[in-house]
PDB file of all heavy atoms in Angstrom:
ATOM      1  N   SER A   3      81.171  -1.003 -24.656  1.00 64.00           N
ATOM      2  CA  SER A   3      80.506  -2.274 -24.383  1.00 64.00           C
ATOM      3  C   SER A   3      79.032  -2.180 -24.733  1.00 64.00           C
ATOM      4  O   SER A   3      78.375  -1.176 -24.477  1.00 64.00           O
ATOM      5  CB  SER A   3      80.653  -2.629 -22.910  1.00 64.00           C
ATOM      6  OG  SER A   3      82.001  -2.790 -22.597  1.00 64.00           O
ATOM      7  N   THR A   4      78.529  -3.227 -25.310  1.00 69.00           N
ATOM      8  CA  THR A   4      77.136  -3.262 -25.722  1.00 69.00           C
ATOM      9  C   THR A   4      76.576  -4.634 -25.409  1.00 69.00           C
ATOM     10  O   THR A   4      77.236  -5.641 -25.617  1.00 69.00           O
ATOM     11  CB  THR A   4      77.008  -3.010 -27.239  1.00 69.00           C
ATOM     12  OG1 THR A   4      77.610  -1.763 -27.533  1.00 69.00           O
ATOM     13  CG2 THR A   4      75.567  -2.987 -27.673  1.00 69.00           C
ATOM     14  N   ARG A   5      75.362  -4.650 -24.886  1.00 72.00           N
ATOM     15  CA  ARG A   5      74.667  -5.916 -24.663  1.00 72.00           C
ATOM     16  C   ARG A   5      73.343  -5.857 -25.382  1.00 72.00           C
ATOM     17  O   ARG A   5      72.650  -4.848 -25.354  1.00 72.00           O
ATOM     18  CB  ARG A   5      74.412  -6.151 -23.175  1.00 72.00           C
ATOM     19  CG  ARG A   5      75.655  -6.514 -22.414  1.00 72.00           C
ATOM     20  CD  ARG A   5      75.292  -6.845 -21.017  1.00 72.00           C
ATOM     21  NE  ARG A   5      74.960  -5.590 -20.339  1.00 72.00           N
ATOM     22  CZ  ARG A   5      74.550  -5.526 -19.083  1.00 72.00           C
ATOM     23  NH1 ARG A   5      74.372  -6.617 -18.386  1.00 72.00           N
ATOM     24  NH2 ARG A   5      74.294  -4.382 -18.524  1.00 72.00           N
ATOM     25  N   GLY A   8      68.909 -11.152 -28.375  1.00 80.00           N
ATOM     26  CA  GLY A   8      68.149 -11.377 -29.584  1.00 80.00           C
ATOM     27  C   GLY A   8      67.572 -12.779 -29.598  1.00 80.00           C
ATOM     28  O   GLY A   8      68.092 -13.692 -28.978  1.00 80.00           O
ATOM     29  N   HIS A  12      67.042 -13.732 -35.436  1.00 88.00           N
ATOM     30  CA  HIS A  12      67.210 -12.289 -35.591  1.00 88.00           C
ATOM     31  C   HIS A  12      68.549 -11.992 -36.242  1.00 88.00           C
ATOM     32  O   HIS A  12      69.469 -12.784 -36.195  1.00 88.00           O
ATOM     33  CB  HIS A  12      67.116 -11.594 -34.233  1.00 88.00           C
ATOM     34  CG  HIS A  12      65.699 -11.415 -33.779  1.00 88.00           C
ATOM     35  ND1 HIS A  12      65.337 -10.437 -32.889  1.00 88.00           N
ATOM     36  CD2 HIS A  12      64.563 -12.071 -34.089  1.00 88.00           C
ATOM     37  CE1 HIS A  12      64.030 -10.509 -32.673  1.00 88.00           C
ATOM     38  NE2 HIS A  12      63.544 -11.501 -33.394  1.00 88.00           N
ATOM     39  N   ARG A  13      68.666 -10.823 -36.825  1.00 87.00           N
ATOM     40  CA  ARG A  13      69.882 -10.416 -37.521  1.00 87.00           C
ATOM     41  C   ARG A  13      70.545  -9.257 -36.787  1.00 87.00           C
ATOM     42  O   ARG A  13      69.895  -8.503 -36.081  1.00 87.00           O
ATOM     43  CB  ARG A  13      69.559  -9.979 -38.940  1.00 87.00           C
ATOM     44  CG  ARG A  13      68.973 -11.083 -39.768  1.00 87.00           C
ATOM     45  CD  ARG A  13      68.632 -10.574 -41.126  1.00 87.00           C
ATOM     46  NE  ARG A  13      68.022 -11.632 -41.912  1.00 87.00           N
ATOM     47  CZ  ARG A  13      67.655 -11.488 -43.162  1.00 87.00           C
ATOM     48  NH1 ARG A  13      67.824 -10.334 -43.755  1.00 87.00           N
ATOM     49  NH2 ARG A  13      67.110 -12.479 -43.809  1.00 87.00           N
ATOM     50  N   ILE A  14      71.826  -9.100 -37.030  1.00 84.00           N
ATOM     51  CA  ILE A  14      72.605  -8.004 -36.451  1.00 84.00           C
ATOM     52  C   ILE A  14      73.177  -7.191 -37.608  1.00 84.00           C
ATOM     53  O   ILE A  14      73.758  -7.740 -38.537  1.00 84.00           O
ATOM     54  CB  ILE A  14      73.750  -8.528 -35.575  1.00 84.00           C
ATOM     55  CG1 ILE A  14      73.182  -9.296 -34.389  1.00 84.00           C
ATOM     56  CG2 ILE A  14      74.624  -7.376 -35.109  1.00 84.00           C
ATOM     57  CD1 ILE A  14      74.229  -9.992 -33.567  1.00 84.00           C
ATOM     58  N   ARG A  15      73.003  -5.870 -37.545  1.00 84.00           N
ATOM     59  CA  ARG A  15      73.591  -4.985 -38.551  1.00 84.00           C
ATOM     60  C   ARG A  15      74.812  -4.312 -37.933  1.00 84.00           C
ATOM     61  O   ARG A  15      74.776  -3.838 -36.798  1.00 84.00           O
ATOM     62  CB  ARG A  15      72.591  -3.913 -38.976  1.00 84.00           C
ATOM     63  CG  ARG A  15      73.195  -2.942 -39.981  1.00 84.00           C
ATOM     64  CD  ARG A  15      72.206  -1.939 -40.472  1.00 84.00           C
ATOM     65  NE  ARG A  15      71.744  -1.091 -39.389  1.00 84.00           N
ATOM     66  CZ  ARG A  15      70.726  -0.245 -39.499  1.00 84.00           C
ATOM     67  NH1 ARG A  15      70.067  -0.153 -40.626  1.00 84.00           N
ATOM     68  NH2 ARG A  15      70.370   0.500 -38.483  1.00 84.00           N
ATOM     69  N   GLY A  21      83.105   8.427 -37.328  1.00 73.00           N
ATOM     70  CA  GLY A  21      82.754   9.445 -36.353  1.00 73.00           C
ATOM     71  C   GLY A  21      81.478   9.097 -35.627  1.00 73.00           C
ATOM     72  O   GLY A  21      80.724   8.229 -36.033  1.00 73.00           O
ATOM     73  N   THR A  32      92.243  15.652 -41.491  1.00 89.00           N
ATOM     74  CA  THR A  32      93.359  16.348 -42.120  1.00 89.00           C
ATOM     75  C   THR A  32      94.633  16.293 -41.285  1.00 89.00           C
ATOM     76  O   THR A  32      95.700  16.614 -41.794  1.00 89.00           O
ATOM     77  CB  THR A  32      93.015  17.835 -42.346  1.00 89.00           C
ATOM     78  OG1 THR A  32      92.764  18.443 -41.075  1.00 89.00           O
ATOM     79  CG2 THR A  32      91.822  17.994 -43.269  1.00 89.00           C
ATOM     80  N   THR A  41      89.919  23.087 -42.687  1.00 91.00           N
ATOM     81  CA  THR A  41      89.536  22.326 -43.861  1.00 91.00           C
ATOM     82  C   THR A  41      89.070  20.930 -43.458  1.00 91.00           C
ATOM     83  O   THR A  41      89.451  20.419 -42.405  1.00 91.00           O
ATOM     84  CB  THR A  41      90.719  22.189 -44.843  1.00 91.00           C
ATOM     85  OG1 THR A  41      91.815  21.593 -44.161  1.00 91.00           O
ATOM     86  CG2 THR A  41      91.144  23.535 -45.390  1.00 91.00           C
ATOM     87  N   ALA A  42      88.250  20.341 -44.293  1.00 89.00           N
ATOM     88  CA  ALA A  42      87.744  18.989 -44.019  1.00 89.00           C
ATOM     89  C   ALA A  42      88.038  18.095 -45.220  1.00 89.00           C
ATOM     90  O   ALA A  42      88.092  18.558 -46.358  1.00 89.00           O
ATOM     91  CB  ALA A  42      86.247  19.029 -43.762  1.00 89.00           C
ATOM     92  N   ARG A  43      88.228  16.833 -44.939  1.00 90.00           N
ATOM     93  CA  ARG A  43      88.466  15.845 -45.983  1.00 90.00           C
ATOM     94  C   ARG A  43      87.500  14.678 -45.756  1.00 90.00           C
ATOM     95  O   ARG A  43      87.306  14.243 -44.630  1.00 90.00           O
ATOM     96  CB  ARG A  43      89.910  15.353 -45.892  1.00 90.00           C
ATOM     97  CG  ARG A  43      90.341  14.554 -47.096  1.00 90.00           C
ATOM     98  CD  ARG A  43      91.802  14.155 -47.015  1.00 90.00           C
ATOM     99  NE  ARG A  43      92.655  15.331 -46.889  1.00 90.00           N
ATOM    100  CZ  ARG A  43      93.881  15.303 -46.402  1.00 90.00           C
ATOM    101  NH1 ARG A  43      94.388  14.182 -45.950  1.00 90.00           N
ATOM    102  NH2 ARG A  43      94.598  16.397 -46.327  1.00 90.00           N
ATOM    103  N   ASP A  54      94.063 -12.567 -48.527  1.00 95.00           N
ATOM    104  CA  ASP A  54      95.200 -11.778 -48.048  1.00 95.00           C
ATOM    105  C   ASP A  54      94.817 -10.779 -46.962  1.00 95.00           C
ATOM    106  O   ASP A  54      95.660 -10.359 -46.181  1.00 95.00           O
ATOM    107  CB  ASP A  54      95.853 -11.032 -49.205  1.00 95.00           C
ATOM    108  CG  ASP A  54      96.478 -11.976 -50.210  1.00 95.00           C
ATOM    109  OD1 ASP A  54      96.939 -13.066 -49.812  1.00 95.00           O
ATOM    110  OD2 ASP A  54      96.498 -11.627 -51.407  1.00 95.00           O
ATOM    111  N   ILE A  59      84.284 -10.085 -37.366  1.00 85.00           N
ATOM    112  CA  ILE A  59      83.792  -9.542 -36.102  1.00 85.00           C
ATOM    113  C   ILE A  59      83.433 -10.746 -35.249  1.00 85.00           C
ATOM    114  O   ILE A  59      82.682 -11.613 -35.690  1.00 85.00           O
ATOM    115  CB  ILE A  59      82.565  -8.642 -36.302  1.00 85.00           C
ATOM    116  CG1 ILE A  59      82.944  -7.434 -37.146  1.00 85.00           C
ATOM    117  CG2 ILE A  59      81.996  -8.214 -34.962  1.00 85.00           C
ATOM    118  CD1 ILE A  59      81.775  -6.567 -37.503  1.00 85.00           C
TER     119      ILE A  59
END
Side-chain angles (χ1 to χ4, degrees):
S3 298
T4 303
R5 287 185 287 178
H12 280 204
R13 298 178 182 182
I14 297 173
R15 178 176 64 190
T32 61
T41 56
R43 192 176 302 159
D54 295 329
I59 297 174

